[in-house]
Amino acid sequence: GQPGGRVTARIRLESLPCLPGAIECVEKGIFSSLAPANQRLSLAMRQSFPPGGGVAEGGAAEEAERRNLQTRWSLLFDPQTSGGLLASVPTENVEKCLEALREGGYKQAACIGEVAGDLSESTSSGEGGGECSQV
């Protein structure tokens, strides 16, 4: 890729580790006072989970999954819960990196997505066109 070129990050919200009690707080409407201002930044982001639909359109299981993803999305913008380390690691080094982190005491270390130079040609596994690394 070109230095300073355009990239896209794809985050798998279902893989995002959350602090104990964080999901429950969001579900109850408990947020930091700074979270709404931070969430305004999401207007510049493309969300890939379904925006709504409800039980009638997708069924109870699909609605529960959509709500879970929206809750995790909200946590990305809460300054009290978004202080974790985020690193981009070349795909071939991901497992070794995660193993080292977990051995070092970071039990919730997880691969939560990928960064790609051109997602229009890249598959979700990180194979295909564009350069990918895991985050």
Side-chain angles (χ1 to χ4, degrees):
Q2 298 279 343
R6 195 173 163 149
V7 298
T8 300
R10 181 183 295 153
I11 298 173
R12 292 185 302 273
L13 293 171
E14 66 278 3
S15 300
L16 187 69
C18 297
L19 294 171
I23 290 177
E24 292 80 6
C25 284
V26 171
E27 289 172 343
K28 292 177 182 179
I30 302 170
F31 296 94
S32 159
S33 61
L34 296 176
N38 287 352
Q39 196 154 8
R40 285 190 206 108
L41 297 173
S42 73
L43 297 175
M45 301 172 156
R46 188 173 58 207
Q47 300 176 23
S48 62
F49 55 88
V55 175
E57 289 183 29
E62 289 83 0
E63 178 64 10
E65 177 63 16
R66 184 189 64 77
R67 290 182 114 158
N68 179 13
L69 293 176
Q70 285 182 324
T71 298
R72 289 172 178 271
W73 176 257
S74 296
L75 286 172
L76 292 175
F77 301 97
D78 191 314
Q80 298 178 102
T81 60
S82 62
L85 174 65
L86 181 64
S88 179
V89 177
T91 301
E92 62 272 9
N93 297 337
V94 170
E95 290 307 317
K96 192 183 298 184
C97 178
L98 288 173
E99 182 180 320
L101 286 167
R102 290 176 184 144
E103 286 177 3
Y106 299 96
K107 302 299 181 198
Q108 286 192 314
C111 178
I112 63 164
E114 66 184 22
V115 176
D118 184 358
L119 285 183
S120 65
E121 298 177 20
S122 174
T123 66
S124 62
S125 67
E127 299 170 357
E131 294 180 19
C132 293
S133 60
Q134 304 294 305
V135 292

